[in-house]
């Protein structure tokens, strides 16, 4: 089953209602349609259990019959810990746990570094400091995995759950309606091309479903 790593803003009010001026009802409708695309494409989701667009998508996916949601969490973190995300980890949908299982990434620093590598595909759901940190860390570490730095090329030294580039070419999908700029920077696009990362811009839920089904073939 294709695993989709969800990366996006955590502050719904500021990013979607304020910056993008998407009304709550319109966002809810879009989330439902995107989640339906995941269900119909028969993919599994990976995300950090915390407030934000990824969490809303995961809940809608499970409500519509989605089968597998994986949480990536830094169980061993000795600094901030994970107590503040436990309510999200324990979320239920239809009286069943939202999360089927959890991946322990170690600590929060490793969580941020590894997040975008834990899926076969990344779905980038908006430009925010946290989302960009995770996306750029994934691109940089994939560069190391592909041998662009001498002597480093094995994905498994990072984490046994790393999926980027293992089963299919590492793919990053950008959901344009959730970006004010509509695209990544030209510099980021150029580096992704250099490192062999496939980039596609997605305009609507139907196109997302078609792209995911194409990647699974």
């Amino acid at each position: 089953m294709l695993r989709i790593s969800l990366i996006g803003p955590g502050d719904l009010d500021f990013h979607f209602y304020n910056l993008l001026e998407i009304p709550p009802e319109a966002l809810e409708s879009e989330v439902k349609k995107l989640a339906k695309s995941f269900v119909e494409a028969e993919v599994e989701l990976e995300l950090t259990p915390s407030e934000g667009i990824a969490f809303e998508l995961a809940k809608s996916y499970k409500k519509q019959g989605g089968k597998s949601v994986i949480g990536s969490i830094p169980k061993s973190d000795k600094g901030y810990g994970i107590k503040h995300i436990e309510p999200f980890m324990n979320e239920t949908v239809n009286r069943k746990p939202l999360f089927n299982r959890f991946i322990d990434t170690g600590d929060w620093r490793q969580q941020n570094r590894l997040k975008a590598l834990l899926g076969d595909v990344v779905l980038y759901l908006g430009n925010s400091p946290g989302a960009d940190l995770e996306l750029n860390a994934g691109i940089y570490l994939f560069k190391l995995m592909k041998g662009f730095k001498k002597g480093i090329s094995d994905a498994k030294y990072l984490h046994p759950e790393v999926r980027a580039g293992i089963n299919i070419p590492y793919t990053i999908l950008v959901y344009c309606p959730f970006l004010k700029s509509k695209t990544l920077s030209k510099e980021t696009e150029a580096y992704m091309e250099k490192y062999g990362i496939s980039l596609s811009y997605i305009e609507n839920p139907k196109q997302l479903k078609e792209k995911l089904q194409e990647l699974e073939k």
Side-chain angles (χ1 to χ4, degrees):
M1 183 181 285
L2 201 67
R3 184 190 296 171
I4 314 303
S5 180
L6 301 180
I7 291 177
D11 190 335
L12 295 180
D13 286 348
F14 182 72
H15 187 85
F16 295 96
Y17 308 152
N18 212 347
L19 282 179
L20 300 184
E21 299 180 336
I22 300 175
E25 299 80 11
L27 182 63
E28 184 180 349
S29 175
E30 193 75 356
V31 163
K32 189 174 181 180
K33 291 173 187 175
L34 287 168
K36 186 178 180 182
S37 295
F38 294 141
V39 175
E40 292 179 345
E42 298 183 344
V43 299
E44 68 178 356
L45 306 182
E46 178 276 323
L47 64 146
T48 305
S50 61
E51 185 177 8
I53 190 66
F55 191 70
E56 297 305 312
L57 276 168
K59 288 191 295 182
S60 185
Y61 162 84
K62 271 293 181 79
K63 284 176 184 175
Q64 296 181 68
K67 294 180 179 176
S68 178
V69 177
I70 300 169
S72 56
I73 57 173
K75 284 184 182 178
S76 311
D77 188 79
K78 304 300 181 186
Y80 295 111
I82 60 171
K83 192 172 183 60
H84 61 292
I85 63 169
E86 285 178 355
F88 301 96
M89 293 168 59
N90 297 326
E91 180 74 19
T92 59
V93 173
N94 300 329
R95 299 182 182 179
K96 295 180 180 179
L98 170 61
F99 291 95
N100 296 75
R101 68 183 181 94
F102 295 100
I103 295 171
D104 183 7
T105 55
D107 57 31
W108 280 108
R109 184 168 61 177
Q110 279 293 88
Q111 170 76 14
N112 292 332
R113 288 173 174 169
L114 292 171
K115 177 70 185 69
L117 299 177
L118 297 175
D120 301 295
V121 176
V122 170
L123 180 60
Y124 180 70
L125 295 156
N127 184 333
S128 71
D132 287 356
L133 170 64
E134 292 170 348
L135 183 70
N136 288 324
I139 293 170
Y140 180 77
L141 288 179
F142 189 74
K143 160 191 169 179
L144 303 187
M145 289 164 52
K146 297 302 288 183
F148 282 90
K149 265 203 187 287
K150 204 169 182 180
I152 303 176
S153 60
D154 185 2
K156 295 305 177 185
Y157 87 94
L158 290 170
H159 195 284
E161 290 274 5
V162 164
R163 294 275 286 263
I166 305 291
N167 302 310
I168 63 169
Y170 187 32
T171 301
I172 294 175
L173 306 180
V174 175
Y175 197 61
C176 301
F178 289 171
L179 272 77
K180 207 169 184 70
S181 63
K182 302 303 180 187
T183 66
L184 301 179
S185 71
K186 295 301 180 185
E187 292 89 344
T188 299
E189 289 180 347
Y191 277 109
M192 288 173 65
E193 182 178 4
K194 177 181 179 181
Y195 303 145
I197 300 171
S198 175
L199 170 64
S200 291
Y201 289 106
I202 303 297
E203 298 289 345
N204 54 62
K206 181 176 182 291
Q207 187 185 1
L208 175 64
K209 174 186 168 182
E210 291 170 352
K211 185 63 179 180
L212 293 177
Q213 290 174 329
E214 174 191 317
L215 290 169
E216 286 185 292
K217 291 178 181 177

